[in-house]
Amino acid sequence: MADEEIKTPIEENGSDAFLEVRNLCKYFVVGKNFFGRPNAWLKAVDNVSFKLQKGKTLGIVGESGCGKTTMGRTILRLYDVTKGEVWFKGEKISTLSNREFDKRRPNMQMIFQDPYASLSPRLTVGEIIGEAARQHGLVDKSGFYDYVIKVMKMCGLQPHYFERYPHEFSGGQRQRICIARALALKPELVICDEPVSALDVSIQAQIINMLIELRKTLGLTYVFISHDLSVVKHISDEVGVMYLGSMVEYGSKESIFNNTLHPYTKALFSAVPVPNVHVKMNRVILKGDIPSPVNPPSGCKFHTRCDNCMEICSKIAPEYKEVEQGHFCACHLYNSQADEARLWAEYEEEQRRIEEEKAKAAKGKHSAESVEEPAEEPAVQPPVQPADSSSVSEQ
């Protein structure tokens, strides 16, 4: 037993990625039948996969309601994982018990979108920043004040803010408080959920530059969720594009911005204004609205709004595969002839299987009805009336 090789978690994972997400799904129940069993789900995150190396920043972009925030919350276990796996530092954290995961929670923190809603109005800034650090035993009572002041200075907050309350600050200062609260636990992974979307442009630049400086100083790894493509291009090393809960394109910043593959990504990037009056943008206008994640369209989820839609798009979901080195895309435009023939064969086989199951179910239902139907009873003959005795005697 002692001679056996003890496998490390990374060896069990088979990957050296700092954060790895495999086929992550998060479904919310939106309907139940008469017996209280779920029969309708909202697929907020549907089969999302990516890898992120330590010290890098992953930017996540997409329309409102495409599942960006839900994906970030599910990675941090703020939502329970429906299906899929989340690996952090070679350890599978998606199946850990809550007590075990609480020990690892300081290594993973989140900066929320609305700073005012995420700050307790009853606590001072010092208590907000240092409460979690004290709870996890990172600082004792004697060194609490000095530790919090150190974190505040690192995030650009003055020491005399320690006794103030959140309502006394501007939006940019509140966001700095949220960042300080996350960094007080000395995390290695920080998920930034649109941290600058509610701020002015000048304040946005200050916060973004501070995040970049903290990443270099502390060796942080970011998952940066945003609608602003210019901000994502500035801060990110890798970019992922989400649509209706699925990752449609993923790759390095250079490959995504210089060699866009997916039609949705092209439409998204065409909406970015260029500060040059001599440059004419070829704006791609998407038709219709984003479909409902409760009842998504069959095949490719984007085919109802895509100008390049083909027959296969409306029937078969595209495979999320590596088109170029490190550049992944889920689109039928990049299928080879062999891939397309294989997908059609699998689709036809699946349709045959479904038809056979329907026929089998219909046959079973018909046989059950014939057994339950009662047999017809024989007709009852009316009794023969006897002749009248008086009439017989008279004769």
Side-chain angles (χ1 to χ4, degrees):
M1 190 75 177
D3 296 333
E4 293 183 0
E5 182 183 357
I6 300 177
K7 291 185 178 181
T8 63
I10 290 182
E11 290 175 338
E12 294 177 358
N13 185 9
S15 173
D16 59 349
F18 184 73
L19 173 67
E20 182 176 2
V21 176
R22 301 177 182 174
N23 302 320
L24 183 65
C25 298
K26 176 57 188 176
Y27 300 160
F28 295 97
V29 177
V30 294
K32 296 182 180 180
N33 59 16
F34 178 78
F35 300 100
R37 297 174 181 173
N39 60 1
W41 293 266
L42 187 150
K43 298 181 179 181
V45 181
D46 194 16
N47 287 324
V48 171
S49 301
F50 63 84
K51 293 181 181 179
L52 183 61
Q53 300 298 328
K54 184 174 177 59
K56 300 293 184 179
T57 299
L58 168 63
I60 301 294
V61 297
E63 289 177 283
S64 296
C66 68
K68 304 184 301 295
T69 297
T70 304
M71 183 197 69
R73 290 172 176 260
T74 307
I75 291 174
L76 294 186
R77 293 277 300 273
L78 298 179
Y79 293 143
D80 293 332
V81 177
T82 303
K83 289 190 298 182
E85 302 175 354
V86 179
W87 294 80
F88 178 67
K89 297 174 64 175
E91 183 180 17
K92 187 177 180 181
I93 62 173
S94 53
T95 56
L96 292 176
S97 63
N98 291 334
R99 178 172 295 182
E100 287 295 324
F101 186 74
D102 285 342
K103 300 176 183 178
R104 297 155 178 80
R105 191 172 290 280
N107 287 330
M108 296 171 284
Q109 290 297 303
M110 188 168 190
I111 301 172
F112 295 94
Q113 180 177 0
D114 187 354
Y116 191 65
S118 62
L119 298 175
S120 173
R122 298 173 179 266
L123 298 179
T124 63
V125 170
E127 287 294 327
I128 289 172
I129 295 174
E131 181 185 24
R134 183 169 52 194
Q135 178 69 26
H136 286 278
L138 298 179
V139 60
D140 55 12
K141 187 176 181 179
S142 60
F144 178 80
Y145 179 81
D146 293 336
Y147 181 78
V148 173
I149 292 297
K150 178 183 176 181
V151 176
M152 289 174 61
K153 289 182 177 179
M154 184 172 57
C155 297
L157 297 170
Q158 299 299 322
H160 61 271
Y161 294 165
F162 187 93
E163 296 294 337
R164 292 189 181 182
Y165 290 87
H167 71 273
E168 302 179 53
F169 296 93
S170 65
Q173 290 172 324
R174 289 173 190 159
Q175 196 61 273
R176 290 178 183 269
I177 295 171
C178 291
I179 295 173
R181 177 181 60 181
L183 298 183
L185 290 171
K186 300 178 181 179
E188 298 179 72
L189 173 67
V190 180
I191 295 182
C192 308
D193 182 16
E194 302 189 36
V196 296
S197 61
L199 306 178
D200 296 334
V201 175
S202 59
I203 305 300
Q204 284 185 13
Q206 295 177 15
I207 298 297
I208 293 299
N209 291 332
M210 185 186 70
L211 289 173
I212 294 175
E213 185 63 28
L214 291 172
R215 181 185 67 180
K216 296 177 181 178
T217 305
L218 304 177
L220 300 175
T221 304
Y222 292 144
V223 175
F224 193 89
I225 300 170
S226 178
H227 288 286
D228 195 333
L229 294 173
S230 59
V231 172
V232 169
K233 187 176 182 180
H234 179 64
I235 195 174
S236 301
D237 299 300
E238 299 177 352
V239 178
V241 183
M242 291 188 66
Y243 181 80
L244 208 65
S246 300
M247 190 79 75
V248 296
E249 190 167 357
Y250 179 89
S252 65
K253 176 176 62 177
E254 291 76 15
S255 62
I256 293 292
F257 280 89
N258 298 332
N259 185 26
T260 308
L261 298 178
H262 199 279
Y264 173 68
T265 312
K266 294 178 181 178
L268 206 62
F269 286 6
S270 71
V272 178
V274 177
N276 189 342
V277 295
H278 302 292
V279 177
K280 184 178 180 181
M281 295 296 298
N282 295 322
R283 180 71 187 275
V284 179
I285 306 297
L286 295 178
K287 53 187 178 182
D289 297 324
I290 184 170
S292 170
V294 178
N295 187 24
S298 60
C300 177
K301 297 178 181 179
F302 186 63
H303 85 267
T304 56
R305 308 172 70 189
C306 183
D307 294 333
N308 302 315
C309 181
M310 302 176 290
E311 181 184 2
I312 191 174
C313 299
S314 60
K315 296 182 179 180
I316 305 174
E319 294 179 332
Y320 181 72
K321 61 182 180 180
E322 189 174 17
V323 179
E324 302 173 345
Q325 184 175 3
H327 194 168
F328 295 83
C329 182
C331 184
H332 288 301
L333 291 174
Y334 306 98
N335 286 343
S336 63
Q337 293 183 354
D339 291 337
E340 189 164 346
R342 175 178 55 81
L343 290 173
W344 275 118
E346 293 176 356
Y347 173 77
E348 293 172 357
E349 180 66 26
E350 181 68 15
Q351 292 302 310
R352 282 195 295 269
R353 185 186 63 82
I354 293 174
E355 292 297 331
E356 290 175 359
E357 290 181 354
K358 288 182 179 179
K360 187 177 180 180
K363 184 177 179 181
K365 183 178 180 180
H366 178 72
S367 60
E369 290 177 353
S370 61
V371 170
E372 293 176 0
E373 185 177 350
E376 296 184 359
E377 297 181 359
V380 179
Q381 298 293 334
V384 179
Q385 296 291 336
D388 192 353
S389 57
S390 60
S391 61
V392 174
S393 60
E394 288 176 358
Q395 293 175 0

